[in-house]
Amino acid sequence: MNGIEDVFVARLMTTDLHTVTPDTLVEDAAAVLLDNDISSALVVEDGRLVGILTTTDFVEIVAKSQPKAETTVERYMTQDPITAGAQDAVSAVAATMIDHGFHHVPVVDGEGTPIGIITTSDFAAYVSGTEPVSP
């Protein structure tokens, strides 16, 4: 195994993305997370990343919102989330996640289009040696 400083985000990121739009109802966004057994959805508008909604956000939604309220994702998403590039070193991204207490970092291309996401689970899989090795 190479040192973690030699590994790039592209190797560990998940590219099977689940997205919602800012005007998606929170209950529909919750269904996306549950149906796909994931803990975050990227919020995309006109192909560009504008936010992220995570399971942690749903704690606030439940605390502040009436069940089945006509509430949209935009109200609770993290706007303009910190992102990574595919060629960023995973060690730097891991440090950012620790500094901010993040569990998810969207990966975008030069135009701000989401191409992946890297999560704490991806790091755990890498460290445990269970992540698939990309060419």
Side-chain angles (χ1 to χ4, degrees):
M1 187 183 299
N2 293 332
I4 193 84
E5 60 278 349
D6 300 328
V7 179
F8 298 104
V9 167
R11 178 168 170 189
L12 301 191
M13 72 182 186
T14 301
T15 56
D16 182 18
L17 299 178
H18 297 279
T19 63
V20 295
T21 60
D23 60 356
T24 300
L25 295 178
V26 292
E27 56 262 33
D28 294 336
V32 169
L33 269 56
L34 292 171
D35 291 349
N36 294 286
D37 194 26
I38 54 174
S39 56
S40 66
L42 299 181
V43 185
V44 177
E45 191 169 44
D46 298 325
R48 297 178 61 90
L49 179 73
V50 295
I52 186 170
L53 189 74
T54 71
T55 50
T56 305
D57 296 319
F58 282 93
V59 176
E60 184 179 1
I61 291 167
V62 169
K64 293 184 176 180
S65 178
Q66 295 299 318
K68 297 296 181 187
E70 295 281 309
T71 305
T72 62
V73 164
E74 189 168 32
R75 180 172 170 188
Y76 291 100
M77 70 182 189
T78 300
Q79 294 188 28
D80 301 318
I82 290 176
T83 60
Q87 297 306 309
D88 291 355
V90 295
S91 55
V93 176
T96 298
M97 291 169 83
I98 290 168
D99 289 347
H100 294 278
F102 295 158
H103 297 277
H104 312 82
V105 173
V107 183
V108 296
D109 66 14
E111 266 74 73
T113 302
I115 58 170
I117 188 164
I118 190 161
T119 70
T120 50
S121 298
D122 297 323
F123 287 106
Y126 174 74
V127 171
S128 72
T130 58
E131 65 100 18
V133 178
S134 301

